[in-house]
Amino acid sequence: MFVHPEQVHAVTQRHPAVRRARLVVTQHEHLDVMTLHAEVGDQHDSSLAANLAATLREVCKLRGEVVLCAPGSLPADGKVIDDARCLA
């Protein structure tokens, strides 16, 4: 699975309600799972998560989950993609 930070940026640029985002890659039953955590305020369309998932699929050519988060909930470390897989 190859996703670049520029692709994550392209996804968020299409959705003004997203303030900041981080793509987290985990592993479940030997399959990679991609989840976009997106910080949004109170004022967003109820279909935002579904629309973000569709844009993620379009831009990255991979399916992913979307989790909407409160502003300030993502770490402020500059990381756009977090590979949290246990590759032991």
Side-chain angles (χ1 to χ4, degrees):
M1 178 165 36
F2 296 99
V3 178
H4 300 280
E6 297 82 18
Q7 291 172 295
V8 176
H9 181 70
V11 170
T12 60
Q13 288 300 110
R14 294 187 189 183
H15 301 276
V18 177
R19 298 178 181 181
R20 200 160 48 127
R22 176 177 285 202
L23 188 69
V24 179
V25 182
T26 56
Q27 201 169 53
H28 179 70
E29 296 181 1
H30 304 289
L31 296 174
D32 291 342
V33 178
M34 186 170 72
T35 306
L36 181 69
H37 296 261
E39 287 186 0
V40 297
D42 293 333
Q43 302 297 322
H44 64 273
D45 189 289
S46 62
S47 63
L48 179 60
N51 292 338
L52 274 167
T55 304
L56 185 65
R57 187 171 45 256
E58 179 186 329
V59 171
C60 300
K61 309 298 186 222
L62 297 166
R63 291 186 194 271
E65 303 289 324
V66 173
V67 174
L68 301 180
C69 308
S73 62
L74 295 176
D77 56 7
K79 193 183 277 192
V80 177
I81 299 174
D82 182 11
D83 188 346
R85 295 175 290 181
C86 182
L87 302 173

